[in-house]
Amino acid sequence: MATRKTKNPELAQAADNLAEAAQHVGKAVRKKIDEVKSAAAAELTKAKEAALKKGHMVQSKLEALLNKAEGRLGKAVRSAEKSLDKAVRDAEKRIAAAKKAAKAKVADVQKAAAPAPAKKAAAKKTAAKKAAAPRKAAAKKAPARKAAAKAASAG
């Protein structure tokens, strides 16, 4: 007889909710980073166009500054993405640890509940063995009777 698995639906639900929340936060932060990036790029483009109108001397200085600003912006975006990825990984590790703890708790509950059914199963097995022993003996005797009957009919 199979034992029922005891589940803690609250822990499982909490772990699933944490996983969903981590994913939603990651998506939201990535979206914000992309919005800031596009807004900054648009502003840089406007500033670049305005600077080009002023002349060639100023143009070279401003382009250098704009390239520097774009480099800083790219670096900031990469840093933000790394931080986000790290936060998501940490959240997933915590979720995995919570799931592992929940499974351990369920295993402990199952382990505590398992000895009683095991004794019943052992008792059923011994009863089945005792019941099967006379059948096996009767089965062994039957071929001997058939052999004796064959010898009597042949002789």
Side-chain angles (χ1 to χ4, degrees):
M1 177 178 233
T3 60
R4 288 186 353 179
K5 288 187 177 179
T6 57
K7 294 182 180 177
N8 192 340
E10 292 173 341
L11 288 175
Q13 183 70 25
D16 291 340
N17 289 343
L18 284 173
E20 279 187 29
Q23 290 177 351
H24 287 294
V25 168
K27 288 179 184 177
V29 172
R30 280 196 177 102
K31 185 177 177 183
K32 286 294 181 183
I33 288 172
D34 290 340
E35 289 174 2
V36 168
K37 183 180 176 181
S38 64
E43 290 299 320
L44 285 172
T45 304
K46 287 180 186 177
K48 194 174 189 178
E49 289 173 359
L52 289 175
K53 291 179 183 177
K54 290 188 178 182
H56 293 290
M57 292 180 72
V58 176
Q59 180 181 356
S60 62
K61 289 181 182 179
L62 285 177
E63 283 180 355
L65 289 174
L66 288 173
N67 287 336
K68 194 174 184 180
E70 286 175 350
R72 287 180 183 168
L73 176 64
K75 191 174 182 179
V77 167
R78 286 189 299 275
S79 174
E81 287 176 347
K82 281 183 183 179
S83 297
L84 173 66
D85 290 341
K86 184 180 179 197
V88 169
R89 278 194 311 269
D90 290 345
E92 288 174 350
K93 284 180 184 178
R94 285 190 215 117
I95 290 167
K99 282 185 178 180
K100 187 176 180 181
K103 285 182 182 178
K105 199 169 195 178
V106 168
D108 289 343
V109 170
Q110 287 176 345
K111 192 174 184 181
K119 289 180 183 177
K120 288 181 182 178
K124 285 183 180 180
K125 283 184 180 179
T126 55
K129 285 182 181 178
K130 288 180 182 177
R135 290 184 197 154
K136 287 182 180 177
K140 287 182 181 178
K141 289 180 183 177
R145 288 182 188 161
K146 286 182 183 178
K150 285 183 182 178
S153 64

